[in-house]
Amino acid sequence: MTDASRAWTIRSPADAAGARVLLARTATRADVPVIEQARFLTSLTAHLRECLGHGGAWELSLRIRPAGAPPTHTRGQLEVTVRPAAGTPHDSPPWRLTLACPRLPCSDPLVPEEAGLAEALLAADDDTATILARLDEQEELVRFHREELHQTNQGVLALHAELDASALAQRKLLAAERDARTEAEKARRLLTFLADASAEVTSSLDHEDIMRRLPRLLVPQYARHVDVWIFDDAPSPPGGQRPAAAVAAARTGRPQHAAAHPGGLPGVDDLPQSRLDPTRPLLCLPLSVRRTLGVLTLAAPGPRFDPDTCLMLLELARRIGIALDHARRYEQHRDTAEALQRAQLTELPTADGLLLAARYLPATRGLNIGGDWYDAFPQPDGSLLAVVGDVTGHGLRAAIMMGHLRTALRAYAVEGDSPAQLLTRLHRLLRHQQPELYATAAIARFRPGDPTVVWAAAGHPPPLVRTPDATVRVLDAKPGIMLGVPVPHTYQDHTVELPTGSTLALYTDGLVERRARLIDLGIGRLARALSSLSTTGLRDDLDAAAESLLEPLLDDSERDDDVCLLLCHTTLPALPRPFPDARTAVTRVRSSHAEPAGLPGVTSPRSAGGTRGVGVDGTRGESGCREDT
């Protein structure tokens, strides 16, 4: 069956009633349930009344959709639409109402039938009777459920009576459980504090920093005030004005408790009340590992120390002693490596037509001694080699390996090899003798009077060249693999023009690389900083120029790696002067205020007094600046 539709024009209540009667019969023949049919007709009647109240003509259309037709696809539908008739000034939107039909009418429901008002009323009464019968059934069902609910309530009341009877017995159990939970929560809180405090003190390798953290951790929850007494290397720690309990703890290595009455604390000896604090009990805990390093003295936060808290404090003191021992061992290891690296750093030489300035800065975090180094030394043929390198890793081993490479490089350079040949020999040496260590390096060779510089690099950041017009260029030739990588490799030499007034910058990755920033961005920052330096500053005070170059690059974050920088600035070479004749000599003797003449290979007093510093104190690095005049 296909879709069927019909439309009526509604102008009066009689028209509306006729349409309603037809729709009611159609719904009845379609086996629509009485309740749904009543809702459908009631909603339609209410809307028709509203439309008649507005006046005018209204068009009511009925459309029957068979099963399987869109959009239902499953059951048939009666669709009623009410809209203003054509020519009516109303602009109300169409009103639609649909009713699902179990089956479609056998006869054509759209053919009008003769039906009087009496028959329509009787049909409506039949529907009303059916609805009332349904209501009676629902009321009977409600009475049945009400009786069941009453019986359920009686059972609930009986259950409440049983619960009240057992509640008294459970209160005691709950009280005991509450006490157990309180103790467990207290133990959890103490263990949590112990874990957090242990992590706090063991995260630092500076014993002074560990001592500064203790009052912040313990005051005011576990102590009113805290005193940390760290011994020197003297065999017997002095007493001085320390409490007698602290002195006893230092001498015996056992925890001491001083109060007006014995504390009865587990694992703690009792002593008389301290005269330094007569109102507060004192707990003195030795900080021991293999020997007693110091004493931690705590004033009680209240009238007495809690036994459970005392056990936690004893364990914390033991861990503090371990942290202090580790910090001192680390400081000894760092000082040894620092002294070794300081001894390896080079005093910059004097070169004709070339200014040299260098900086070395250790890392600010972790083991701040690394394998970065610089070197500059003359060759028998009059040339000068400038070197910057970086051994992987940190600590004493990296510093020792740095010294080996520096010594080997100087030994190889005596034979007059080019920078690439020197790197190839270093690569072979490191690959066979230290296969688990790697290094990077960049070497540049300067010759007097020659504006061409020969350079080579092994896995090292590219050198930068600043020309006299402040243009900075990155020497981005292929650097070759790192030294020590287990692959045979031959490095290549590169040449670059370096006219008078130019600056060559050699550096290590600690200057340009950060965890949250790509190394190319750091090289760009270095290039901009090098370009911003004044030409006069580079010529007159290269040492200060190196310092000002580091400031914008290192003031934004802590350093995980050490930093090495070597600046090479070309100047006009010193010109040899002819030997003066007698008349010239007499004239110069008479002119006592004239400056001493410079001779080739002789450094003037002014250049000999140039700035040259060596330092690895973490704030200033290795530096040097020499010039022939």
Side-chain angles (χ1 to χ4, degrees):
M1 179 179 181
T2 60
D3 289 4
S5 61
R6 180 183 176 182
W8 293 269
T9 301
I10 307 298
R11 294 187 175 85
S12 64
D15 297 337
R20 183 185 186 281
V21 169
L22 179 59
L23 291 174
R25 288 179 177 176
T26 302
T28 301
R29 292 172 181 171
D31 291 340
V32 176
V34 177
I35 300 298
E36 295 182 10
Q37 185 181 149
R39 290 173 181 169
F40 172 76
L41 295 175
T42 301
S43 179
L44 175 63
T45 302
H47 188 70
L48 291 177
R49 287 177 180 174
E50 181 181 352
C51 293
L52 293 175
H54 291 304
W58 299 82
E59 178 183 322
L60 186 148
S61 60
L62 171 64
R63 186 178 183 180
I64 299 177
R65 297 178 182 272
T72 58
H73 302 288
T74 54
R75 302 178 64 186
Q77 281 190 344
L78 298 179
E79 183 181 286
V80 177
T81 305
V82 179
R83 60 170 60 88
T88 304
H90 297 294
D91 57 354
S92 300
W95 178 83
R96 288 183 175 84
L97 184 64
T98 59
L99 179 63
C101 303
R103 70 180 183 87
L104 295 179
C106 297
S107 60
D108 189 356
L110 302 180
V111 178
E113 299 181 3
E114 295 296 333
L117 180 61
E119 185 179 351
L121 291 175
L122 290 176
D125 288 342
D126 292 340
D127 295 340
T128 303
T130 303
I131 293 174
L132 291 176
R134 292 288 183 87
L135 291 176
D136 291 338
E137 294 176 359
Q138 294 298 324
E139 287 181 357
E140 182 65 25
L141 187 61
V142 168
R143 284 194 296 271
F144 173 75
H145 287 300
R146 185 181 295 114
E147 181 64 24
E148 284 190 345
L149 180 62
H150 176 70
Q151 295 178 0
T152 302
N153 289 338
Q154 293 296 324
V156 170
L157 291 176
L159 180 61
H160 275 294
E162 294 179 1
L163 291 176
D164 291 338
S166 62
L168 184 61
Q170 290 182 353
R171 287 193 186 97
K172 295 182 179 180
L173 296 177
L174 291 175
E177 182 183 1
R178 188 182 301 110
D179 294 340
R181 287 184 177 181
T182 301
E183 293 296 326
E185 177 63 23
K186 179 181 178 181
R188 185 197 64 79
R189 186 173 63 253
L190 292 175
L191 291 176
T192 300
F193 172 78
L194 178 61
D196 295 342
S198 301
E200 182 79 11
V201 298
T202 56
S203 63
S204 175
L205 290 175
D206 184 352
H207 75 278
E208 293 183 355
D209 181 55
I210 295 175
M211 293 168 58
R212 286 192 297 267
R213 296 183 183 189
L214 294 181
R216 176 168 51 86
L217 291 172
L218 296 171
V219 177
Q221 186 174 4
Y222 297 102
R224 185 179 182 184
H225 63 80
V226 174
D227 178 69
V228 184
W229 179 19
I230 300 298
F231 305 153
D232 297 329
D233 293 333
S236 58
Q241 294 298 320
R242 302 290 177 178
V247 176
R251 290 177 177 172
T252 63
R254 286 187 51 80
Q256 305 292 328
H257 176 260
H261 303 284
L265 301 176
V268 180
D269 298 338
D270 283 308
L271 292 177
Q273 182 73 27
S274 171
R275 290 180 297 176
L276 295 181
D277 193 353
T279 62
R280 295 278 179 175
L282 295 181
L283 184 61
C284 300
L285 307 175
L287 306 176
S288 304
V289 184
R290 288 168 295 275
R291 62 184 181 88
T292 302
L293 304 177
V295 175
L296 175 65
T297 301
L298 309 174
R304 62 188 300 274
F305 282 100
D306 179 71
D308 295 336
T309 303
C310 179
L311 289 175
M312 183 274 295
L313 294 175
L314 289 173
E315 176 61 21
L316 178 61
R318 186 186 68 83
R319 299 185 183 186
I320 294 173
I322 295 175
L324 290 173
D325 183 64
H326 288 172
R328 287 197 168 185
R329 289 175 175 270
Y330 165 79
E331 291 169 358
Q332 292 173 358
H333 183 80
R334 180 197 60 195
D335 294 342
T336 302
E338 185 175 316
L340 176 61
Q341 190 160 21
R342 183 186 295 113
Q344 297 289 344
L345 293 177
T346 303
E347 181 178 349
L348 295 178
T350 300
D352 187 20
L354 186 66
L355 293 176
L356 298 175
R359 281 289 183 276
Y360 172 80
L361 298 176
T364 58
R365 291 193 300 190
L367 188 59
N368 57 358
I369 301 300
D372 290 18
W373 93 93
Y374 68 86
D375 200 358
F377 52 92
Q379 294 298 288
D381 60 357
S383 64
L384 183 139
L385 287 182
V387 185
V388 167
D390 183 6
V391 177
T392 57
H394 293 82
L396 187 60
R397 187 181 184 189
I400 294 175
M401 195 62 220
M402 177 266 291
H404 289 170
L405 289 179
R406 174 180 174 273
T407 303
L409 176 62
R410 287 202 169 210
Y412 293 153
V414 174
E415 301 180 8
D417 291 344
S418 69
Q421 292 172 335
L422 292 174
L423 290 177
T424 302
R425 299 183 71 174
L426 287 178
H427 173 62
R428 189 180 305 115
L429 171 69
L430 194 60
R431 186 161 55 94
H432 289 289
Q433 293 191 0
Q434 298 289 340
E436 72 280 2
L437 283 181
Y438 308 102
T440 66
I443 305 176
R445 167 167 284 169
F446 298 85
R447 294 187 182 275
D450 187 358
T452 301
V453 175
V454 180
W455 68 277
H460 203 75
L464 301 182
V465 171
R466 183 188 188 273
T467 57
D469 60 354
T471 300
V472 176
R473 180 160 57 98
V474 180
L475 303 183
D476 54 357
K478 187 176 180 180
I481 64 175
M482 295 178 64
L483 299 174
V485 175
V487 175
H489 186 74
T490 301
Y491 298 90
Q492 302 297 324
D493 285 316
H494 310 280
T495 59
V496 60
E497 293 292 330
L498 212 63
T500 301
S502 301
T503 304
L504 176 68
L506 304 176
Y507 55 93
T508 56
D509 57 355
L511 181 62
V512 295
E513 189 174 25
R514 298 292 182 272
R515 289 185 177 181
R517 187 185 304 126
L518 296 176
I519 190 172
D520 292 340
L521 299 178
I523 295 175
R525 292 183 62 195
L526 176 60
R528 290 190 294 272
L530 183 60
S531 177
S532 65
L533 297 178
S534 67
T535 303
T536 305
L538 289 170
R539 183 184 66 248
D540 297 340
D541 194 350
L542 190 61
D543 187 70
E547 187 68 27
S548 61
L549 183 62
L550 294 180
E551 289 179 358
L553 298 173
L554 302 179
D555 61 353
D556 57 345
S557 65
E558 292 187 344
R559 300 185 301 277
D560 297 322
D561 197 3
D562 41 356
V563 173
C564 190
L565 172 67
L566 178 61
L567 295 182
C568 308
H569 182 77
T570 60
T571 61
L572 289 174
L575 296 177
R577 299 183 182 181
F579 191 81
D581 56 15
R583 183 174 53 185
T584 304
V586 172
T587 302
R588 292 184 57 191
V589 170
R590 290 177 180 176
S591 302
S592 60
H593 61 277
E595 293 184 1
L599 296 177
V602 179
T603 302
S604 66
R606 179 162 60 99
S607 64
T611 303
R612 177 176 54 82
V614 178
V616 287
D617 54 0
T619 58
R620 286 287 182 263
E622 185 71 15
S623 66
C625 180
R626 288 293 185 90
E627 177 184 7
D628 268 354
T629 56

